[in-house]
Amino acid sequence: MLWTRTILVLLAALACLLPVTQASMGDHSLIFQKCLAKCLKSNCSTENSSDEGKNPAVVEPFYLQLFWSCKDECGYNCMWETVSTFEQRGWGVPQFYGRWPFIRVLGLQEPASVVFSLLNLVANLAMLNKFQLKVPKFVPGYHLWTIHSWVCINAWFWSSVFHSRDNVLTEKMDYFCAFSMVLYSFYCMAMRILHCQVNWMSISFSIICGCLMVFHVTYLSLLPRFDYSYNMTANVAIGVLNGLGWLIFCLIKWRKHRYVWRCALSVVLALASMSLEILDFPPLLWTFDAHALWHLSTTMLPFLWCRFIIDDCLHLLEKKEKDKKLKML
């Protein structure tokens, strides 16, 4: 579950290296700027603060007024006016502030991504329940993977919040939670290599990972502007080490423990699903873009990963019981 999300975060960071030629063509256009200036003056200035002076196009239902300011509403309406003008002139669909235009549903900025993020959250909740039913609490790795599930659930929750409404807080929470998954997956990989045992090595590594997480969040929070370059570098560096670690683990264990194929397959499927993220295109029906379809494609991956960790934990239990019998002889 966590590994698949880690691969996606890693490759998404790599995809950010690709050039984006129309990242802000829409909001930089004269059409948009003129429309926005006119709307702000007519509807959002103190001189025209009364309801009578407002354009009905920007008077929204109560559920929108809770999340979207007058300036946001002007930007939203002017965005569609700009899109219409661009299409009439054959210029194609522009992006606005680095994003494609989406139709809002009940105030949700990117409704499809919200729904698919919540589906991933539900899938991880279901798999956590299955894991806890199949694996006894005293099994090595039980608590490690239980925490792993909650890290995933938390990340998908903030993913849904971020796609519901993009602002400084939700963006940082989405980035921080994504990094926590990358780092925790790396931590899980190391703990599994150490056979999920508590010793000085595992304790030392836990402290190091905890300090790294605190440093990452503190550093990015104290900067006057979010350091996207550093955040990407940190995700890629730890993600590469994590990916190599899991693949080496699968290669070593393959002959004796065939169940590790599920771990390897999870990696392959996660990589394949990333093709949707790389293929950037305007939203279908102004709702389903490549990013949303990417989230949809990951909803089934937790089931495969859960089967792997269940089999692996039961294997560790069997090994533990055999070791006890050998000591008694």
Side-chain angles (χ1 to χ4, degrees):
M1 290 181 283
L2 189 55
W3 162 246
T4 59
R5 173 80 171 176
T6 302
I7 280 288
L8 299 177
V9 170
L10 169 61
L11 292 178
L14 292 173
C16 290
L17 297 174
L18 298 175
V20 182
T21 57
Q22 289 189 324
S24 299
M25 182 177 292
D27 58 279
H28 284 170
S29 69
L30 192 59
I31 302 168
F32 179 82
Q33 292 297 330
K34 284 185 174 181
C35 174
L36 184 62
K38 180 181 179 180
C39 183
L40 291 176
K41 183 178 180 180
S42 301
N43 300 280
C44 305
S45 63
T46 54
E47 292 81 1
N48 297 287
S49 58
S50 64
D51 290 339
E52 291 79 6
K54 291 188 177 182
N55 185 335
V58 296
V59 178
E60 300 291 345
F62 73 94
Y63 53 79
L64 291 184
Q65 295 175 7
L66 294 175
F67 304 103
W68 300 88
S69 66
C70 181
K71 181 180 179 180
D72 294 328
E73 292 306 301
C74 282
Y76 179 76
N77 288 289
C78 288
M79 175 185 72
W80 290 114
E81 182 175 324
T82 304
V83 169
S84 178
T85 302
F86 267 57
E87 289 190 316
Q88 289 174 8
R89 298 180 181 181
W91 294 349
V93 180
Q95 290 188 340
F96 296 81
Y97 305 104
R99 291 176 174 271
W100 293 112
F102 291 89
I103 288 180
R104 292 189 315 214
V105 178
L106 297 178
L108 302 179
Q109 188 170 349
E110 300 176 30
S113 290
V114 174
V115 172
F116 298 152
S117 292
L118 291 175
L119 286 178
N120 277 280
L121 186 154
V122 171
N124 280 279
L125 274 174
M127 291 304 96
L128 172 61
N129 181 63
K130 181 178 180 180
F131 174 80
Q132 292 178 332
L133 289 175
K134 295 282 186 179
V135 179
K137 291 185 178 181
F138 56 85
V139 173
Y142 176 88
H143 298 291
L144 178 75
W145 292 115
T146 298
I147 295 173
H148 144 280
S149 295
W150 285 112
V151 170
C152 269
I153 292 166
N154 177 65
W156 284 116
F157 168 77
W158 282 108
S159 174
S160 64
V161 172
F162 173 65
H163 290 300
S164 298
R165 183 69 172 96
D166 178 7
N167 56 41
V168 175
L169 174 62
T170 59
E171 180 186 49
K172 285 186 176 181
M173 289 304 298
D174 186 51
Y175 279 124
F176 292 159
C177 293
F179 179 76
S180 72
M181 287 194 308
V182 175
L183 183 60
Y184 194 78
S185 181
F186 178 62
Y187 174 77
C188 288
M189 179 272 297
M191 292 299 102
R192 178 57 188 88
I193 291 176
L194 296 173
H195 302 285
C196 299
Q197 296 179 353
V198 179
N199 51 43
W200 71 270
M201 290 183 65
S202 62
I203 294 175
S204 299
F205 191 76
S206 299
I207 295 174
I208 292 172
C209 288
C211 291
L212 182 58
M213 185 67 203
V214 171
F215 168 79
H216 183 82
V217 173
T218 303
Y219 171 72
L220 290 174
S221 298
L222 294 178
L223 290 176
R225 295 184 63 183
F226 194 87
D227 192 341
Y228 295 96
S229 178
Y230 160 75
N231 182 68
M232 180 184 68
T233 302
N235 276 281
V236 170
I238 297 176
V240 167
L241 292 175
N242 177 53
L244 290 174
W246 278 117
L247 290 176
I248 292 172
F249 170 83
C250 291
L251 289 174
I252 294 174
K253 299 292 184 179
W254 171 252
R255 290 188 177 182
K256 291 185 178 180
H257 310 293
R258 296 289 182 175
Y259 65 84
V260 298
W261 69 266
R262 293 189 178 91
C263 177
L265 182 59
S266 295
V267 176
V268 173
L269 292 177
L271 288 169
S273 67
M274 267 308 302
S275 62
L276 291 169
E277 183 69 3
I278 297 173
L279 297 174
D280 196 22
F281 53 83
L284 303 173
L285 303 177
W286 304 116
T287 304
F288 305 96
D289 68 331
H291 188 76
L293 296 177
W294 166 38
H295 283 331
L296 176 62
S297 69
T298 63
T299 55
M300 299 305 296
L301 294 180
F303 297 90
L304 184 63
W305 186 257
C306 184
R307 286 291 305 277
F308 159 67
I309 61 174
I310 288 175
D311 290 340
D312 193 53
C313 285
L314 294 179
H315 159 69
L316 290 176
L317 176 61
E318 182 181 356
K319 183 177 182 297
K320 184 179 180 180
E321 291 177 346
K322 286 184 178 179
D323 290 341
K324 282 185 178 180
K325 290 181 180 179
L326 289 174
K327 290 180 179 180
M328 294 175 62
L329 295 177

